[in-house]
Amino acid sequence: MKPVRILMYDVPDIMSGIVKGILPVEPVCEIVECKADQVSLEAGVTEETPDMVIVINEAHDNAPSRFERLLISKPTMRVLAITPHQGMAFVHWLQPYVEDISPLSSAAMRTALLQVQGRLGMEA
């Protein structure tokens, strides 16, 4: 099965540690990290070609159109937006759809990852 490439974009170290503690137990995950001071989100997606992007959602903006431009450029990608202070998480994908997977938990993150893995398995 093709590995799921995950781009963690500007995720603080503590949250990055939590995500890395959850995801490596899942098979075929390849995690890449980018910081906002090094590259824009759009450039990171272009350079790393991820299947899933994990971002911190400080603005609490989960409107379906928030990641629309980015998702149009890579229609099969998913964006997992985590609102750290409220323990909420939302998965965005093109059409545009948003699915609330709150409360944020390892099970919710695995479910989002399995959606991406399932889609990749269908493409192979």
Side-chain angles (χ1 to χ4, degrees):
M1 181 180 273
K2 181 180 171 187
V4 175
R5 291 187 47 80
I6 299 169
L7 171 63
M8 291 200 302
Y9 182 78
D10 210 27
V11 176
D13 291 342
I14 193 160
M15 184 62 77
S16 177
I18 292 168
V19 170
K20 287 178 179 178
I22 293 167
L23 295 180
V25 300
E26 297 298 327
V28 298
C29 288
E30 184 179 330
I31 299 174
V32 177
E33 292 187 70
C34 287
K35 297 291 181 191
D37 60 351
Q38 297 169 345
V39 67
S40 70
L41 177 57
E42 291 79 8
V45 166
T46 300
E47 184 178 316
E48 300 297 341
T49 62
D51 301 302
M52 175 181 275
V53 175
I54 298 175
V55 298
I56 297 300
N57 186 16
E58 295 287 356
H60 309 289
D61 175 12
N62 288 302
S65 61
R66 176 160 184 227
F67 298 103
E68 186 174 35
R69 228 178 73 207
L70 186 63
L71 293 168
I72 286 171
S73 72
K74 190 160 177 16
T76 59
M77 186 177 67
R78 301 280 197 267
V79 177
L80 175 59
I82 299 171
T83 305
H85 305 296
Q86 296 178 351
M88 299 172 67
F90 299 84
V91 177
H92 296 253
W93 65 94
L94 189 59
Q95 312 241 327
Y97 290 117
V98 178
E99 180 179 350
D100 183 348
I101 61 167
S102 302
L104 181 60
S105 67
S106 59
M109 289 184 73
R110 284 189 184 105
T111 298
L113 178 62
L114 289 173
Q115 288 176 350
V116 173
Q117 284 178 312
R119 179 187 45 75
L120 289 175
M122 291 170 47
E123 292 175 355

